[in-house]
Amino acid sequence: GRPLASLGWSTTQQMDAAASTVARGWRPVTSDRLPTGEMKATWLANFVATEWEALDHPCSEAAAQRAVTYAAERAARFEPERAVLIHGDAHANNLLQFPGSTDGNFHFRLIDPEGLVSEPAHDLGVMLRDWNEDLLAIDTAGRAIQRCQRVAGSTGVDPEAVWQWSFIERVSTGLFLLRLSHHREARIYLEVADRLATVLPPWA
């Protein structure tokens, strides 16, 4: 089927579809062979700190430090007994329209999983790192908070954890794109991160 990103849907429609799709996949898992959210958060903290220096400080120190702090907090809060299997990379091009729908609604299937044992908020945070051009257009902080509240509310997940994962993922993705010389795309991620670096969400 067609990727969600190609359907011409609004950001809100895409978020709702992505959130409901990833939530259907969350289930307890006992395997000790998959990487955990704690491991991923620790790796991301090191990656952000190292790449921010190596790339000559391409975003504000406040944004880089906030990402490192949030990653350390998510690592510390990892609870194996409450963790679930998550996709780990649920962006809009990894959700494909399921052609067998018969009820008039669109259904989606996920492809290209990273495959982690982590908290549900991790999946939602990865998802919310995108759609940054909308955030740059107007009221960056307000829109980012509304998005976080929307997906957290629809899935019953802690909005603070979603907010932290989305910030970590936005900064790390921007640095990764910059490392690959995708300068325009990287700047969009990092500009949003700079604007959100000092924002205190209402649930904090």
Side-chain angles (χ1 to χ4, degrees):
R2 296 172 61 192
L4 173 61
S6 72
L7 299 179
W9 288 12
S10 70
T11 297
T12 298
Q13 290 174 310
Q14 292 184 62
M15 283 193 306
D16 289 348
S20 64
T21 301
V22 295
R24 288 201 307 270
W26 297 334
R27 61 201 66 191
V29 59
T30 57
S31 172
D32 59 0
R33 301 177 64 182
L34 292 173
T36 67
E38 179 182 16
M39 295 165 59
K40 185 60 181 287
T42 300
W43 185 90
L44 286 168
N46 292 330
F47 175 82
V48 169
T50 300
E51 289 298 292
W52 186 73
E53 290 287 355
L55 294 168
D56 195 23
H57 310 164
C59 62
S60 67
E61 183 176 4
Q65 186 57 54
R66 179 63 61 92
V68 170
T69 300
Y70 280 166
E73 184 169 345
R74 294 330 311 161
R77 292 194 176 189
F78 177 70
E79 299 178 273
E81 67 278 4
R82 300 182 64 181
V84 296
L85 178 67
I86 70 165
H87 181 277
D89 196 22
H91 57 75
N93 281 306
N94 275 348
L95 282 94
L96 304 186
Q97 183 183 343
F98 184 59
S101 303
T102 59
D103 59 2
N105 296 316
F106 286 90
H107 298 283
F108 297 88
R109 296 294 184 268
L110 287 156
I111 62 169
D112 196 20
E114 184 171 347
L116 298 161
V117 179
S118 190
E119 56 186 338
H122 191 163
D123 250 350
L124 299 175
V126 170
M127 183 186 81
L128 287 184
R129 72 188 173 196
D130 295 327
W131 303 300
N132 289 299
E133 291 187 355
D134 287 355
L135 293 179
L136 288 176
I138 186 173
D139 190 17
T140 303
R143 283 189 175 188
I145 289 169
Q146 289 173 357
R147 290 178 182 182
C148 186
Q149 290 173 320
R150 186 180 185 91
V151 300
S154 69
T155 56
V157 174
D158 175 21
E160 176 66 10
V162 178
W163 179 267
Q164 291 185 354
W165 277 114
S166 66
F167 194 90
I168 297 162
E169 287 285 339
R170 182 172 284 114
V171 173
S172 61
T173 300
L175 294 174
F176 180 69
L177 290 170
L178 195 57
R179 172 61 67 187
L180 296 179
S181 297
H182 298 307
H183 296 280
R184 178 185 177 277
E185 296 92 334
R187 285 308 317 165
I188 292 172
Y189 279 88
L190 296 176
E191 174 63 25
V192 172
D194 282 345
R195 294 187 186 187
L196 298 179
T198 58
V199 170
L200 186 65
W203 53 80

